[in-house]
Amino acid sequence: MWGRRVQSRDRTPRGLVMRGSGSAIGIFGATRSRDQALTALCARGTSIYRPFALLLSDVFTFFYEPASSLDDPKTTGCDRLHYLVMKYLAGTPEYASLRLRTAGRSQESLAAAEEFGHRLLDHLGNGSGNQTKAEPPATVEPNVMDADPVEVEELVLADVARAGSGAPARPSVLVLALRVEGAIETTGLLADICYSFGLSPGQIRAMPLTQRTDLAARMGKSTNLKRFAELLGYWSSLAVSSRAKRTPGLPEELSDVTYGDDWHLFVPQELGALMIPSLRHDFFLRLIDRKILQYDPQSREGQGKGPIIVCLDTSGSMTGDRDISAKAAALALYAIARKETRPFAAILFSSPGEWISFLFRADQVHQNSSTGEEVRCGQLEGVIKVATFFFGGGTDYESPLTEARRLIEEGGTEWREADIVFITDDYCEVSEDFSREFKAAKMRLCIKVFGVIIGADAESARVLWKFSDRVLATSAFDEDTAIQVFKAV
């Protein structure tokens, strides 16, 4: 079996076994040079299996370049176990299907390679594995570099390995397609979020692996999260496109230069960097962050109006489709705010005294709650928190409006003329004193409030009219409602 330190009977120099264009190797190397998580994974792997970094580079190439093929191990000099792992990947239909979804997508390919690498090391480190047909299991003493090598003739990575008699054997290395698929789906969602909001995809790697793994597990079990992912991408595009100024002329007209990772739009000077060895590494670093200069077929929007604050009801009655739709619309408003360089904050609320606010700044998110706790996190992590946090209690209007007023007053002149979007599916009373004070603050700070009540008519929303300039009553938070919200700010 495989022990803490594993090697094959081959003692030839280790090398790469996947034959590709070389771009994948450059991207993997550039990422590893500055990515702490990937560096730590390679360090852990090397302590268990010496050529692990080369193996992981090949796994990344497999997912990133669908045209890459398995080379002859005799010509590459790769380790036997290395070759068997890659042979398994190349010959398994489930992975062939997955690599079609990761082709040319560096973040998804890195996630797939990382997940595969962690599970493989878990298996190797536990000392479990497949025994050969020719000889009984051998034991390798842990941490002994020169122990007798283990001969590995074949590799079976499946949910359940079958012994020769057909009887079930203990579970084998379950990296396998389900775990890798979960990592790919989660990273795809995070990459889409980054793209929608103009964030660097490098922020995906900044999220702790445990957090990404937990999100992957929840996505696999929750149809709500999958639905949210679909709706967020669509509504973010809808929100931005509904407010964009198209450049006069043909749709294909290139009117500006921006940053991105679309190869067919790269300016010629950037492609020239690939021909110069000293610039190639920097090119791949910028490619990972979508920082390559490219033509933009659509001009950017100019300065928008004021800040956007979304007050979002997360009481128990909002569970399900209402919560999914409202949060997708709230984060689509954040896409508008980023596009128009407007300050943005989201306040989630429920029962009296239950609220949590997220103030989005250029490089981080400031999180505050009614308990007085203050937390700072990256923008991508802040987006995920807004998307997944839910109180599930009652409904109180005064707490979120008080926090919105605090954000505006403490924000100074930059936060004047703010647009507050207040989304709820219930109504509650507000005191006369509060109503009078908030109206005075609205006048002084030039605030406008757009109230949205779901599942009720405008007459039932009489409390919303006490502090709103306009109220939209809708039976469901659908696309038409979302468009009206986008236009209101």
Side-chain angles (χ1 to χ4, degrees):
M1 65 175 65
W2 296 332
R4 293 292 300 276
R5 176 70 65 172
V6 182
Q7 55 185 330
S8 76
R9 198 173 292 277
D10 300 319
R11 295 187 183 273
T12 53
R14 274 71 168 174
L16 298 171
V17 71
M18 293 302 294
R19 183 189 302 167
S21 67
S23 295
I25 298 174
I27 293 174
F28 183 84
T31 304
R32 184 185 172 191
S33 69
R34 64 173 186 173
D35 189 309
Q36 294 181 352
L38 192 58
T39 299
L41 174 59
C42 289
R44 176 195 172 203
T46 302
S47 70
I48 296 175
Y49 173 59
R50 289 177 191 169
F52 178 79
L54 292 173
L55 170 59
L56 201 63
S57 178
D58 267 343
V59 173
F60 174 78
T61 299
F62 170 83
F63 284 108
Y64 186 74
E65 294 189 3
S68 61
S69 59
L70 203 62
D71 211 343
D72 186 347
K74 295 180 180 179
T75 61
T76 62
C78 75
D79 183 84
R80 175 68 174 168
L81 179 58
H82 180 156
Y83 174 73
L84 288 173
V85 170
M86 298 313 303
K87 181 181 178 182
Y88 163 76
L89 282 175
T92 306
E94 289 79 6
Y95 285 103
S97 173
L98 286 178
R99 76 191 301 203
L100 295 177
R101 297 166 54 183
T102 60
R105 301 173 69 93
S106 60
Q107 295 299 325
E108 285 87 336
S109 299
L110 282 169
E114 182 182 47
E115 181 68 24
F116 191 94
H118 274 291
R119 302 310 149 210
L120 182 62
L121 291 179
D122 289 345
H123 182 69
L124 297 178
N126 289 334
S128 58
N130 304 291
Q131 63 188 60
T132 66
K133 296 180 179 179
E135 60 187 43
T139 301
V140 178
E141 295 296 327
N143 299 324
V144 179
M145 293 291 296
D146 298 324
D148 291 336
V150 178
E151 184 174 359
V152 181
E153 294 294 340
E154 62 178 322
L155 193 65
V156 178
L157 304 180
D159 290 359
V160 178
R162 296 280 175 176
S165 63
R170 59 187 169 186
S172 187
V173 188
L174 187 52
V175 196
L176 304 142
L178 289 178
R179 293 296 294 268
V180 173
E181 184 176 17
I184 292 172
E185 286 187 355
T186 303
T187 304
L189 165 62
L190 298 178
D192 288 343
I193 290 174
C194 288
Y195 184 79
S196 298
F197 301 138
L199 303 176
S200 166
Q203 292 200 28
I204 298 174
R205 309 290 304 168
M207 290 182 67
L209 176 65
T210 53
Q211 188 174 348
R212 282 181 278 142
T213 302
D214 175 66
L215 185 59
R218 283 190 288 151
M219 282 192 66
K221 298 175 182 177
S222 172
T223 55
N224 286 349
L225 274 174
K226 292 180 180 178
R227 169 62 177 159
F228 167 78
E230 295 171 359
L231 206 56
L232 174 62
Y234 175 59
W235 280 5
S236 295
S237 299
L238 183 66
V240 174
S241 63
S242 67
R243 302 171 61 83
K245 281 192 300 188
R246 301 290 299 183
T247 301
L250 296 176
E252 297 83 6
E253 179 182 356
L254 300 174
S255 60
D256 203 351
V257 175
T258 184
Y259 291 108
D261 64 349
D262 297 320
W263 286 80
H264 67 288
L265 293 176
F266 289 169
V267 300
Q269 294 91 329
E270 292 284 23
L271 294 174
L274 288 173
M275 306 300 295
I276 305 174
S278 61
L279 298 179
R280 193 173 299 144
H281 182 76
D282 177 70
F283 175 88
F284 285 123
L285 286 176
R286 291 186 294 115
L287 177 64
I288 294 167
D289 288 337
R290 290 187 172 137
K291 291 296 185 181
I292 303 296
L293 280 175
Q294 66 180 44
Y295 294 114
D296 186 0
Q298 177 178 312
S299 63
R300 298 293 182 95
E301 271 285 270
Q303 178 72 27
K305 293 182 286 184
I308 300 175
I309 300 177
V310 182
C311 295
L312 183 57
D313 186 355
T314 60
S315 61
S317 57
M318 286 286 289
T319 304
D321 288 342
R322 290 180 178 180
D323 181 62
I324 295 169
S325 301
K327 285 180 174 176
L331 290 171
L333 288 173
Y334 177 45
I336 290 177
R338 284 189 62 86
K339 190 79 171 179
E340 300 177 355
T341 62
R342 301 165 65 179
F344 178 85
I347 303 171
L348 310 185
F349 68 92
S350 186
S351 300
E354 281 188 338
W355 59 265
I356 184 169
S357 67
F358 300 87
L359 173 59
F360 286 76
R361 296 195 179 276
D363 57 349
Q364 60 183 211
V365 177
H366 294 203
Q367 174 186 324
N368 290 275
S369 67
S370 56
T371 61
E373 180 184 11
E374 296 185 7
V375 178
R376 297 187 181 186
C377 61
Q379 287 201 348
L380 180 58
E381 187 177 351
V383 168
I384 297 303
K385 285 183 176 182
V386 172
T388 58
F389 190 90
F390 192 82
F391 280 113
T395 305
D396 172 58
Y397 291 169
E398 293 188 12
S399 295
L401 290 172
T402 299
E403 171 63 5
R405 177 181 167 183
R406 182 192 71 82
L407 290 173
I408 294 169
E409 289 179 335
E410 294 183 359
T413 56
E414 182 187 12
W415 280 77
R416 290 181 62 85
E417 300 184 1
D419 291 316
I420 297 177
V421 178
F422 196 95
I423 303 174
T424 183
D425 71 338
D426 200 357
Y427 66 92
C428 65
E429 293 295 336
V430 295
S431 68
E432 291 300 324
D433 289 343
F434 174 85
S435 179
R436 182 170 54 255
E437 290 177 5
F438 189 79
K439 284 182 179 179
K442 279 181 62 181
M443 293 288 291
R444 177 168 49 87
L445 300 170
C446 301
I447 300 171
K448 290 187 177 180
V449 181
F450 177 48
V452 179
I453 186 164
I454 309 169
D457 55 31
E459 181 63 27
S460 300
R462 58 180 178 81
V463 179
L464 283 181
W465 282 108
K466 291 184 178 182
F467 55 82
S468 300
D469 299 281
R470 177 186 168 196
V471 174
L472 172 64
T474 178
S475 59
F477 204 112
D478 53 16
E479 183 176 328
D480 291 337
T481 302
I483 291 175
Q484 292 190 61
V485 170
F486 302 151
K487 291 180 177 179
V489 299

